[in-house]
Amino acid sequence: MTTAQQTQRPTAAELDAADPLAAQRDAFYAPDADQLASYLDGNSLGRPLKVTAANLDAFVHKSWGSRLIRGWDEQWMDEPITVGDRIGEVTLGAAAGQTTVGDSTSVMLYKMIRAAVDAQPGRDEIIIDRDNFPTDRFIIEGIAAERGASIKWIAANPSSGVRGEDLDGLLGDRTAVVVLSHIAYRSGFLADAEGITAKVHEAGALMLWDLCHSVGSVPLELDKWGVDIAVGCTYKYLNGGPGSPAFAYVNSSMQDRLQQPIWGWMGAENPFGMTDSYRPAQGMRRFITGTPPVLAMQPMKDMLELIASVGMDAVRAKSIQLTEYAIALSEELLVPLGAEIVSPRDVAERGSHITVDHPLFSDVTAKLWEKGVIPDFRPPHGLRIGLSPLSTSFAEVELGVTAIRDALSELQ
């Protein structure tokens, strides 16, 4: 980057002053600067909202402490669908009755992928890319072994991600389901969900999207795109807290076709009937298995209301600004030291994190964590800069990337 380009680029202070979402940062808990100087890992775990502490305290003393078992009849039985509908409305572009909350992401992926395979008689192939997150790949390997299915692997470029043409020659009349991440965990590549879903449907297969890195960071239109099934976590951009439960979306047109494999009493037609055999509930309740984690659902409710107050379009606009700024700083400060930016430069193909590669970044990350600068590291050489639009300032990005530069210089 030339001196003239640097001069033309707005400073962090100018960007923060012009940021229409700047005031939202005050809603989040922030430790003292000596504990945390720059948090660049919002794509792994979102910061807690200040109001969440008070709301959890109220839940313990009122909903739980005062109502006790009566809470199930009064509210909690409906909580997985009620919260699911709010996730659908605010972040997924999904009408009511298509989203439920519960289980871990891994368990939810297993249930949904297994149900999709079983719903496609005569089709025994699952398609996934080799660079997908390990959980997705491992679960598919397990399901393939259980069901006698085979896996077709997409060998996409990790930096550019899976495109529609990467499915050419793989889709066919034996394809049961295609499983892809909407945003690649490594590079931040944002896939064409609508186009790929249409292509998968042309082959008669089902499409399942992993939304872990996109829900709450980019606008989604699952109903409009005709998505069959989607799964996502809630501890990243929905700020549900460590280990907060995952959600599943099942298009209303698909719900009667799918039978999830882990039959539990809460997904039964009559949970309190104590019946001799299992009959699934109607609609999204059939995808619930055990007692829902009601307490763990509470923090994400606060974040959903904050997102709803500003709108996903505003969140996306800030995300684009943040990643553009992080890339510009990385080009200026890190590339001259031998680093390589491996995330898409086209904003239409990039989520809310970028990845920069360097052989020393594992050591750099460890060094930075000791100083309260928190990026993320993914082997073999990727340092991820994850930018949560509502809680991250441009000054924080500048401080963080500068610290990465300094740590890298010290180690070279």
Side-chain angles (χ1 to χ4, degrees):
M1 180 176 293
T2 66
T3 302
Q5 289 173 317
Q6 293 174 34
T7 302
Q8 292 172 2
R9 172 166 53 79
T11 66
E14 290 170 337
L15 289 168
D16 281 326
D19 176 16
L21 300 183
Q24 307 303 330
R25 296 199 304 274
D26 292 336
F28 295 87
Y29 172 76
D32 294 336
D34 60 344
Q35 297 181 42
L36 183 68
S38 175
Y39 189 58
L40 304 179
D41 204 7
N43 62 316
S44 290
L45 179 66
R47 296 174 184 256
L49 286 160
K50 293 175 183 175
V51 72
T52 296
N55 287 344
L56 285 175
D57 182 74
F59 183 89
V60 170
H61 285 91
K62 296 178 182 179
S63 298
W64 179 9
S66 299
R67 303 311 297 161
L68 292 170
I69 196 67
R70 293 172 291 185
W72 287 109
D73 290 330
E74 295 167 354
Q75 180 178 0
W76 300 340
M77 283 292 291
D78 296 327
E79 200 84 332
I81 304 300
T82 301
V83 177
D85 282 348
R86 192 60 172 151
I87 291 173
E89 178 186 10
V90 174
T91 66
L92 302 181
Q98 300 179 106
T99 311
T100 187
V101 179
D103 305 314
S104 69
T105 309
S106 298
V107 172
M108 198 69 89
L109 280 168
Y110 171 79
K111 289 163 64 171
M112 295 299 113
I113 298 170
R114 170 73 182 269
V117 171
D118 290 349
Q120 295 280 76
R123 291 173 174 263
D124 60 355
E125 293 178 350
I126 307 169
I127 296 177
I128 187 172
D129 57 304
R130 289 195 180 277
D131 203 48
N132 212 314
F133 193 75
T135 285
D136 302 60
R137 293 184 282 106
F138 296 165
I139 286 172
I140 283 177
E141 288 179 318
I143 291 172
E146 286 178 355
R147 308 308 290 160
S150 58
I151 305 171
K152 282 194 170 181
W153 297 96
I154 302 171
N157 184 329
S159 297
S160 60
V162 178
R163 301 179 184 276
E165 54 265 31
D166 293 321
L167 292 166
D168 293 342
L170 296 178
L171 287 167
D173 57 12
R174 291 179 58 190
T175 307
V177 60
V178 177
V179 178
L180 297 174
S181 289
H182 187 215
I183 294 179
Y185 84 98
R186 196 186 301 276
S187 69
F189 175 81
L190 175 61
D192 175 13
E194 184 175 18
I196 291 175
T197 298
K199 188 164 191 170
V200 169
H201 286 171
E202 288 174 5
L206 299 179
M207 184 71 228
L208 187 151
W209 286 103
D210 180 332
L211 305 178
C212 285
H213 282 278
S214 52
V215 62
S217 70
V218 299
L220 303 170
E221 296 289 346
L222 300 190
D223 287 355
K224 177 183 175 184
W225 297 340
V227 171
D228 301 305
I229 313 165
V231 172
C233 67
T234 61
Y235 44 78
K236 299 180 189 295
Y237 300 106
L238 296 188
N239 300 64
S244 58
F247 66 86
Y249 161 94
V250 180
N251 191 289
S252 58
S253 65
M254 290 294 305
Q255 290 174 13
D256 290 342
R257 282 184 58 189
L258 299 183
Q259 181 169 270
Q260 62 105 342
I262 308 179
W263 296 357
W265 76 305
M266 279 287 183
E269 184 179 52
N270 184 4
F272 293 98
M274 305 305 157
T275 55
D276 292 334
S277 58
Y278 176 81
R279 292 184 60 182
Q282 296 298 308
M284 282 303 296
R285 287 205 68 88
R286 68 174 51 209
F287 299 104
I288 301 173
T289 298
T291 305
V294 174
L295 181 59
M297 293 184 203
Q298 302 311 306
M300 74 180 79
K301 293 163 69 173
D302 299 327
M303 186 61 178
L304 286 167
E305 296 315 305
L306 179 58
I307 293 173
S309 72
V310 301
M312 279 303 306
D313 288 340
V315 170
R316 175 59 174 163
K318 172 75 177 291
S319 169
I320 289 173
Q321 280 191 298
L322 285 169
T323 54
E324 287 282 270
Y325 187 57
I327 286 175
L329 287 173
S330 297
E331 287 180 330
E332 176 187 337
L333 303 178
L334 305 181
V335 170
L337 298 177
E340 177 187 5
I341 300 169
V342 294
S343 293
R345 302 303 181 94
D346 183 349
V347 298
E349 294 186 342
R350 188 175 68 239
S352 204
H353 71 272
I354 70 165
T355 299
V356 187
D357 277 2
H358 192 285
L360 294 176
F361 272 160
S362 177
D363 294 334
V364 165
T365 302
K367 192 178 185 70
L368 291 171
W369 276 39
E370 294 176 357
K371 299 179 179 180
V373 176
I374 316 294
D376 192 21
F377 178 77
R378 286 292 180 265
H381 306 306
L383 185 148
R384 294 194 310 182
I385 299 174
L387 305 169
S388 190
L390 293 179
S391 60
T392 306
S393 69
F394 293 93
E396 193 172 9
V397 176
E398 182 181 48
L399 189 157
V401 177
T402 301
I404 295 168
R405 188 260 330 258
D406 293 344
L408 182 56
S409 298
E410 291 174 14
L411 290 171
Q412 286 185 327

